[in-house]
Amino acid sequence: MAVAQEKEILCKEWLKKPKKLLIDGKWVDAKSGKSFKTYNPATEEVLAEIPEAGKEDVDAAVKAARIAFEDGRFHRKMTAAQRAHCLYKLADLIEKHADELAQLETLDNGKPISEARWVDVAATVETFRYYAGWATKLEGETINANNNFFTYTLREPIGVVGQIIPWNFPMLMMAWKWGPALACGNSVVLKPAEQTPLSALRIGELALEAGIPAGVVNIVTGFGENSAGEFLANHDDVDKIAFTGEDKTGQIIVKASAKTLKRVSLELGGKAPNIVFADADIDAAVKGAITGIFFNQGQVCCAGSRLFLEKQVHDEFMTKLLERVGRMRQGPGLDEKTQIGPQVSKEQQERVLSYVEIAKKEGAKLACGGSTPEDLKKGYFVKPTIFTGVKNDMRIAQEEVFGPVLAVIPFENMNDVAEQANKTRFGLSGAVWTRDVKKAHKFASHIKAGTIWVNCYNVFDPAVPFGGYKQSGYGRELGKHSIELYSNIKSVWVNIAD
Ligand code: ADP
């Protein structure tokens, strides 16, 4: 297998350096001295020892962020243009180190290097550039409500923002959160996922090099429950929590916010309907179904995990789908030819395989995959898996598997599928494949979800909002909507009466 040779690993020397927390512009050890390991999911080998932040470290990070904020280091004492420059510079530095960062992401997460390069790193750069542009475009307004008063609004940063991110797109989720928070002039404390802390630490270094002042960005690596994540979510001096992860964790975050009524934005799970009508371009829809479920090993909250096929085209579609999936190359992410890598961890591999058993017991028919690949003895791999004959009320169609497992559900007609598509507690995304313009728009309006793709899947841009309906969360990331999440509006009344 043509895995990149050791000498080609650009982050090799960096990996050997002791890893630290970023607090107040300095790299420091966890006060407890505790650490945990991060693994390469393709080889099961330890990549690095990571400091485990505890309560005192989170307190120190929040304090540093608070001092930086109250001091106005990144908003009052800098012009918007200077703030923008820092973000542009950060984007440039990430681009300069693109190959190294792509390898780091692949090593830590497992994803194919081509995706790490062309999706994760490229989109991270674009997201920082997009929000750099926003820094100079934040405006208030004047309101002609009463001639006795000059009335205007100010758009101000919120303050100290805690950001808790998942492991599926580590650096991109960091960019989605840092970009708008920093454009608005907030101070942040970031808690990366324990499975994938590396790219955040490297980007933290680049952030300091880009001139982001000490204390404005802080990074605490560690765990969630009863650890850094929970301490951050519960901290009295944090003004807002932005969270991406599981819906159950989202509930815990909301409860934790109640005491000080923190602002909360949540991007949670999904169980997206991907609907193919008989009049669709079937070849395009087959490719879309594959991207929909197997991209990033299925570890995508907007994965098209419920594939609804109109009965007339079901068999033709399945033949084409299985043929293409059979040709997918699975292997270590560093292999340039790999299209599907390992799951992020043993825990995830076991979770996915347990859903295979659940689906079989429920009576779904295994059409392919359903096990670990015979030729890959090491690593947390699960073969691309498809179940046919699924019913929408089965667990495999209702619960988020977060792996390469597709549930295929046949349908009779428009009414039938319209009802089933929305029968889920989630509402993050959905897709419809049809050549009928009316049908496309009807479904775009009918499906209760934050993003609808018509004749495409997984298309993103930093300018286009993303977020959930129902139990997929609230608040919209990306676009100008994310600026709303990270700023406050203040109304000022000036008495000008004679
Ligand atoms: P997953 O189960 O897919 O890892 P989680 O929602 O558990 O998803 O994790 C997403 C992020 O939330 C991670 O950074 C994790 O450490 C953090 N996290 C998990 N549990 C908690 C918690 N109780 N409080 C705060 N953060 C948490």
Side-chain angles (χ1 to χ4, degrees):
M1 199 160 299
V3 179
Q5 297 300 306
E6 276 270 290
K7 61 177 169 35
E8 295 172 303
I9 304 290
L10 300 168
C11 51
K12 200 169 134 193
E13 291 308 313
W14 184 83
L15 276 171
K16 287 186 198 152
K17 272 187 9 185
K19 302 290 169 287
K20 310 228 172 191
L21 311 172
L22 177 58
I23 298 178
D24 202 16
K26 294 178 209 69
W27 293 97
V28 297
D29 293 317
K31 294 234 168 66
S32 67
K34 278 194 191 167
S35 65
F36 62 98
K37 293 174 180 19
T38 184
Y39 295 88
N40 177 345
T43 61
E44 304 178 29
E45 284 162 8
V46 175
L47 281 170
E49 198 74 37
I50 307 293
E52 183 183 336
K55 188 156 183 335
E56 317 140 275
D57 306 298
V58 172
D59 285 348
V62 171
K63 190 172 171 199
R66 173 59 63 196
I67 291 170
F69 183 73
E70 299 306 333
D71 178 45
R73 247 170 250 177
F74 204 48
H75 53 118
R76 284 193 308 275
K77 289 185 181 166
M78 270 198 184
T79 63
Q82 287 170 325
R83 213 160 58 236
H85 275 296
C86 291
L87 291 178
Y88 280 123
K89 180 99 192 278
L90 176 57
D92 291 347
L93 286 168
I94 293 170
E95 197 167 51
K96 183 174 154 197
H97 295 280
D99 289 340
E100 173 204 338
L101 281 163
Q103 284 183 348
L104 198 56
E105 203 75 320
T106 287
L107 283 169
D108 214 10
N109 166 281
K111 63 179 69 204
I113 186 77
S114 54
E115 288 175 11
R117 198 180 292 133
W118 300 117
V119 180
D120 298 71
V121 177
T124 296
V125 169
E126 288 315 316
T127 303
F128 278 119
R129 286 196 180 131
Y130 174 80
Y131 283 107
W134 265 107
T136 51
K137 290 155 199 75
L138 304 173
E139 292 175 344
E141 56 198 341
T142 56
I143 300 164
N144 303 332
N146 183 328
N147 285 339
N148 288 326
F149 297 90
F150 169 49
T151 314
Y152 61 94
T153 61
L154 295 172
R155 184 174 287 279
E156 299 184 333
I158 292 177
V160 174
V161 177
Q163 303 180 320
I164 301 173
I165 58 171
W167 45 258
N168 55 346
F169 296 95
M171 78 171 80
L172 186 57
M173 290 302 103
M174 179 177 186
W176 283 25
K177 295 203 164 30
W178 274 24
L182 296 176
C184 292
N186 295 282
S187 292
V188 303
V189 178
L190 178 85
K191 210 295 278 172
E194 54 272 32
Q195 298 84 348
T196 55
L198 292 175
S199 54
L201 295 175
R202 183 70 183 105
I203 291 176
E205 292 180 352
L206 299 179
L208 298 184
E209 198 179 329
I212 297 178
V216 171
V217 287
N218 303 275
I219 304 174
V220 287
T221 47
F223 295 86
E225 195 180 353
N226 202 22
S227 180
E230 195 175 311
F231 302 138
L232 190 57
N234 280 281
H235 204 292
D236 287 352
D237 204 26
V238 168
D239 300 303
K240 172 192 160 63
I241 288 281
F243 171 75
T244 300
E246 249 189 280
D247 54 323
K248 284 191 189 71
T249 316
Q251 293 171 0
I252 297 170
I253 301 274
V254 171
K255 277 190 198 138
S257 73
K259 189 163 55 114
T260 55
L261 292 171
K262 285 182 190 66
R263 285 220 206 167
V264 179
S265 52
L266 303 168
E267 201 263 88
L268 308 173
K271 199 72 199 178
N274 187 11
I275 304 168
V276 182
F277 286 102
D279 65 6
D281 174 342
I282 297 299
D283 291 326
V286 167
K287 284 187 205 157
I290 290 173
T291 306
I293 188 65
F294 299 126
F295 171 58
N296 212 37
Q297 296 67 246
Q299 301 164 142
V300 184
C301 40
C302 55
S305 47
R306 288 184 298 151
L307 178 65
F308 288 96
L309 294 181
E310 195 161 14
K311 276 207 171 138
Q312 295 99 293
V313 287
H314 179 278
D315 293 352
E316 177 199 348
F317 193 103
M318 283 311 302
T319 306
K320 289 184 170 175
L321 180 64
L322 289 170
E323 192 271 324
R324 279 192 92 93
V325 173
R327 284 193 276 124
M328 283 184 83
R329 289 184 297 266
Q330 186 161 32
L334 283 182
D335 186 337
E336 293 281 351
K337 293 196 212 78
T338 289
Q339 292 169 304
I340 182 159
Q343 305 311 118
V344 73
S345 63
K346 184 153 190 58
E347 188 189 349
Q348 280 303 121
Q349 182 194 40
E350 284 168 359
R351 175 190 162 111
V352 174
L353 292 173
S354 78
Y355 270 103
V356 169
E357 294 313 311
I358 290 168
K360 283 185 194 161
K361 279 202 195 103
E362 285 181 310
K365 185 170 169 286
L366 184 66
C368 72
S371 61
T372 56
E374 297 74 21
D375 58 336
L376 294 164
K377 299 285 173 235
K378 281 266 178 208
Y380 311 126
F381 293 91
V382 177
K383 283 194 209 168
T385 300
I386 303 179
F387 281 99
T388 53
V390 175
K391 296 203 169 48
N392 194 47
D393 57 1
M394 289 179 179
R395 283 182 67 190
I396 196 71
Q398 289 297 318
E399 296 175 20
E400 195 177 32
V401 177
F402 225 62
V405 180
L406 181 63
V408 181
I409 307 172
F411 70 90
E412 298 280 352
N413 55 47
M414 261 180 65
N415 293 342
D416 172 24
V417 73
E419 195 185 325
Q420 294 193 67
N422 281 335
K423 274 207 171 148
T424 162
R425 66 194 166 93
F426 294 113
L428 193 58
S429 61
V432 52
W433 299 80
T434 175
R435 286 189 168 98
D436 180 337
V437 170
K438 267 196 206 168
K439 219 188 273 178
H441 287 293
K442 260 190 191 152
F443 269 78
S445 143
H446 172 79
I447 297 170
K448 292 190 178 115
T451 294
I452 306 295
W453 288 292
V454 178
N455 295 332
C456 56
Y457 210 99
N458 277 341
V459 191
F460 282 89
D461 190 284
V464 182
F466 184 78
Y469 280 36
K470 301 196 270 184
Q471 292 182 35
S472 290
Y474 40 77
R476 291 289 174 275
E477 296 195 286
L478 301 185
K480 64 180 175 201
H481 300 275
S482 203
I483 295 295
E484 305 287 338
L485 296 183
Y486 288 98
S487 57
N488 271 327
I489 295 290
K490 177 185 278 174
S491 299
V492 183
W493 295 77
V494 184
N495 186 345
I496 53 168
D498 291 332

